[in-house]
Amino acid sequence: KESKERREKEERREDNVGKIVLVGVWLLAVSILDVRYRRVPAFLLALGGVPIVLSAICRCGNEGAACIDILKGMLPGAILLVAAFATGKAGYGDGMVLLLLGMTGGEDMVILLFGLSLFFISICAVVLLGMKKADRNTRLPYLPFLATAWLSSLLILGMKV
């Protein structure tokens, strides 16, 4: 019985590593496009979004309490989307990616990611302002900082996807 539990734990860990790699590659791709073109194509959002949504649906079906955590995790992304629609200062792709990441990791992870990414982008903005490379109206791509926050949380805290 103990070896069966250990085997199941190893399978979950291997499954989790696969998810981490896929989410990491997807985040890298959307970050590169955000930096280069200042937009993220819908097909790339769908490429990452469909598996994430399907995974969330499966989690809701298996664990009833997971649905509430998934919905709470989507909240920061939904707020960013509302800000994008209301002000036009944030990108729609930024909100969608944050919303999808919230579906994968839940409330605690997405709040950490959102806070870290805002911290990283603010440091970059201060440095650019100090070097006179930007002014207060300069738009910075958000997704590279979100990807950096995601990678930092994985390396430092060993967070799960």
Side-chain angles (χ1 to χ4, degrees):
K1 182 177 179 175
E2 189 176 305
S3 68
K4 182 180 177 185
E5 289 174 2
R6 190 174 340 127
R7 201 170 341 115
E8 287 175 2
K9 191 174 182 180
E10 284 294 320
E11 287 173 8
R12 280 194 305 264
R13 186 179 302 138
E14 289 172 8
D15 204 27
N16 202 31
V17 169
K19 288 178 189 176
I20 289 171
V21 169
L22 289 175
V23 170
V25 168
W26 177 66
L27 271 175
L28 180 65
V30 295
S31 295
I32 289 170
L33 290 174
D34 194 25
V35 168
R36 187 159 183 156
Y37 301 110
R38 297 286 198 258
R39 63 182 56 240
V40 179
F43 84 89
L44 198 54
L45 285 174
L47 188 66
V50 169
I52 289 172
V53 170
L54 291 175
S55 173
I57 290 170
C58 289
R59 278 184 33 217
C60 273
N62 292 339
E63 313 163 23
C67 290
I68 301 298
D69 193 41
I70 290 169
L71 289 173
K72 287 179 182 177
M74 292 170 63
L75 195 57
I79 291 170
L80 195 56
L81 277 173
V82 168
F85 281 113
T87 66
K89 298 278 184 183
Y92 304 114
D94 301 338
M96 285 301 298
V97 171
L98 189 61
L99 185 113
L100 292 168
L101 285 178
M103 292 175 79
T104 64
E107 172 187 18
D108 295 337
M109 185 186 95
V110 77
I111 289 173
L112 175 67
L113 291 179
F114 192 45
L116 271 177
S117 63
L118 292 176
F119 176 71
F120 291 149
I121 201 169
S122 66
I123 288 174
C124 180
V126 167
V127 168
L128 289 174
L129 286 169
M131 295 172 50
K132 307 274 191 230
K133 299 285 184 181
D135 62 19
R136 68 184 200 103
N137 294 321
T138 302
R139 294 183 66 142
L140 296 175
Y142 174 69
L143 294 179
F145 298 100
L146 184 60
T148 303
W150 183 80
L151 182 62
S152 299
S153 69
L154 282 176
L155 295 175
I156 295 169
L157 302 174
M159 293 188 75
K160 297 176 181 153
V161 173

